Amino acid sequence: MRLIGASRPVAGSPGSAARAAGGVPAVDRSRLVARRWTELTPAQVARAVRRYRWTVLVLVLLGGVGGGLAAASQTPVYRAQARLLCSPNFPTNDVGRLDVGGNYILQRVRSYTEVADSTEVAAAVTARLGLSDSPEELLSRVSVTSRASTAVLTVEVDDVDPERARDVANAVAEEIPAYIARIERPAGVDRSPVKVTVVRPAVAPESPDSPRPLTDVGLGLVGGLVVAAVTALGRYARDPAVRDPRHAAEVADLVLLADAGPVGPTPLTPDRVAERADELRRVRTDVRLQAAGGPLTAIAVVEPTAGVGATVAAAYLAVAFAQAGDPVVVVDADPGRPSAHELFGIGNDTGVTTVLDGGSPARDAPVRWTPDLPLHVLPAGPGGSGPIPPDRLADLVAELRRDRTLVVVVGPPLLSDADTLRLVEATDATVVAAVPGSTDADSLATAARVLRQVPARLLGLVTVGRSG
């Protein structure tokens, strides 16, 4: 069990039980949607990934497999490189003139990258090597680049044959100096002011430049992770259920009294209760503060739709008060879906149905859960299927809460049983239960609105986490 601090009280507004029972008012859709689409917190992002972890895993693996298949389906392409150096082409020992010439070269190198891979150079290369490619086809595999602030030209050639890539790169590198010398030589001058020299001939590459299987698989995994994260967050944000305790309290616009923790697969035990003594003491104080100014001898615990949230929340509250020495009776008033006997680990042979049928006295029917706590449980009883008559249930609650005994009643689902509102009227206060990840946000908002239309004193909300 984990306690969440209360925020602010919300008092129930007066209204008519008949009007509320006759029809469920429509929830304010725009307000609810705005709440549901609030920004996800880091904790909610982690919870979304955890909830849809198998979807995330599958999408990531599919991305990696897709990257691997894409790499396997590509034809290997080899890349050969040759490098050339541009320098001033005039005899001088004057450092100043060399500096001016060097700056001139740096300004011109960028232009050489644009013109060096010309069709004239390509035609000369195809003729020299006897290639069947046209100059344009050859140029599609050739690139000439330079690094900023350097006088170095890099010739790169891609080809499916590593030796042919080498030969073409070297042929282009050998043709470029004559081509640049011709276009740079001024009219009436015998030589060009720029000298281009091959400083590193190309060699046959040993491994293909593409595809790169490890890189492609890595990119596929990253892409799959991005898609998986977007998918998980999208599904989580669009989930009609409330996300977590604070989101549930925001949707219902109620004080968050406590988070009762996950619903375990085994019955509640005194040892499990003892481990949470401090939390129970805090929630008991919060409930008393919310109920200040009015009686507190009977609490109705209801949830919007069928589930075990109301039973667990009622047990949580009952144990909290019993630890303070207050005599408490938990009443399971939902015979159609009895669950209190399973949670407390007691029998269901005697309960509400047998008491109302006259089979056992109301004062003697509750079963003491443990000798260490003044906590009794009245299960739903056998043979229950239909709803309990509201008037008789109200009389039962009135009889049980004599002698200052606190009665915590688990009511039927509010939105499927209009008689639950009569139970609310027969008690001093009401607590709403919700199960994050299961309770529909629209239903929770509607239930809170219905309760505000009847004479219900709303204490707040208790959430119950799902097991696992």
Side-chain angles (χ1 to χ4, degrees):
M1 300 180 186
R2 186 174 70 258
L3 179 66
I4 305 297
S7 55
R8 60 184 179 85
V10 179
S13 58
S16 169
R19 183 175 68 252
V24 176
V27 67
D28 188 341
R29 299 289 301 182
S30 60
R31 185 180 182 187
L32 183 58
V33 169
R35 286 173 174 170
R36 186 183 301 165
W37 282 95
T38 54
E39 282 189 12
L40 296 179
T41 64
Q44 290 173 334
V45 170
R47 192 176 296 115
V49 173
R50 181 178 181 275
R51 178 182 298 181
Y52 301 107
R53 57 189 177 275
W54 294 115
T55 299
V56 172
L57 179 61
V58 169
L59 290 176
V60 170
L61 291 178
L62 286 177
V65 171
L69 292 177
S73 64
Q74 297 179 36
T75 302
V77 176
Y78 297 84
R79 175 170 294 180
Q81 289 185 344
R83 287 188 177 174
L84 303 91
L85 177 65
C86 302
S87 59
N89 188 27
F90 50 87
T92 181
N93 293 326
D94 188 342
V95 177
R97 293 189 60 190
L98 288 174
D99 184 62
V100 173
N103 290 332
Y104 172 81
I105 296 298
L106 292 178
Q107 295 174 8
R108 303 294 286 175
V109 165
R110 183 176 299 178
S111 301
Y112 298 157
T113 62
E114 302 293 332
V115 300
D117 55 347
S118 67
T119 54
E120 181 178 336
V121 172
V125 171
T126 55
R128 174 192 292 194
L129 300 179
L131 302 178
S132 59
D133 298 341
S134 66
E136 289 75 13
E137 292 173 339
L138 181 62
L139 288 178
S140 66
R141 307 196 307 273
V142 177
S143 66
V144 180
T145 59
S146 68
R147 292 183 179 179
S149 301
T150 67
V152 177
L153 294 175
T154 301
V155 178
E156 294 181 337
V157 177
D158 294 333
D159 202 291
V160 295
D161 185 340
E163 295 183 355
R164 185 167 59 191
R166 175 201 61 195
D167 295 342
V168 171
N170 285 329
V172 171
E174 292 170 1
E175 291 292 334
I176 286 179
Y179 177 72
I180 292 179
R182 184 168 60 255
I183 63 175
E184 284 285 14
R185 186 171 60 245
V189 179
D190 294 337
R191 64 183 180 184
S192 169
V194 178
K195 179 182 178 181
V196 181
T197 307
V198 178
V199 294
R200 195 178 75 178
V203 297
E206 297 180 356
S207 59
D209 182 71
S210 67
R212 298 178 181 178
L214 292 179
T215 301
D216 292 342
V217 170
L219 291 175
L221 291 174
V222 172
L225 179 60
V226 172
V227 173
V230 172
T231 301
L233 293 178
R235 291 180 62 183
Y236 185 77
R238 293 178 181 272
D239 192 338
V242 291
R243 299 173 187 155
D244 51 38
R246 293 190 182 278
H247 184 219
E250 183 183 10
V251 168
D253 197 15
L254 289 173
V255 171
L256 182 57
L257 295 173
D259 176 19
V263 180
T266 58
L268 187 66
T269 63
D271 291 339
R272 292 171 58 190
V273 171
E275 295 173 355
R276 298 168 174 84
D278 292 339
E279 299 175 14
L280 292 168
R281 182 168 56 252
R282 286 194 294 269
V283 73
R284 181 173 64 246
T285 301
D286 287 341
V287 171
R288 284 173 173 168
L289 288 174
Q290 297 299 323
L296 190 65
T297 58
I299 301 175
V301 182
V302 299
E303 57 186 332
T305 54
V308 295
T311 305
V312 176
Y316 186 84
L317 295 174
V319 171
F321 280 90
Q323 280 195 328
D326 299 337
V328 184
V329 176
V330 177
V331 178
D332 189 347
D334 187 10
R337 288 165 291 271
S339 57
H341 65 286
E342 295 179 350
L343 180 63
F344 285 97
I346 62 176
N348 195 38
D349 296 333
T350 301
V352 174
T353 55
T354 56
V355 170
L356 296 182
D357 291 341
S360 58
R363 289 181 172 273
D364 299 334
V367 178
R368 185 154 187 165
W369 177 51
T370 173
D372 299 329
L373 294 175
L375 172 60
H376 292 73
V377 181
L378 182 61
S385 58
I388 299 176
D391 294 339
R392 301 184 64 186
L393 180 60
D395 294 339
L396 174 61
V397 171
E399 185 174 355
L400 290 175
R401 66 178 177 177
R402 292 175 183 172
D403 302 326
R404 304 183 65 83
T405 297
L406 174 62
V407 181
V408 182
V409 188
V410 181
L414 180 65
L415 300 184
S416 59
D417 192 338
D419 287 337
T420 304
L421 295 175
R422 302 289 297 276
L423 169 64
V424 170
E425 292 179 325
T427 56
D428 299 325
T430 302
V431 171
V432 180
V435 182
S438 178
T439 301
D440 183 79
D442 288 357
S443 299
L444 179 59
T446 302
R449 185 169 179 174
V450 169
L451 290 171
R452 289 188 176 94
Q453 292 183 349
V454 299
R457 186 156 59 102
L458 293 173
L459 296 181
L461 177 79
V462 173
T463 59
V464 177
R466 294 186 298 181
S467 60

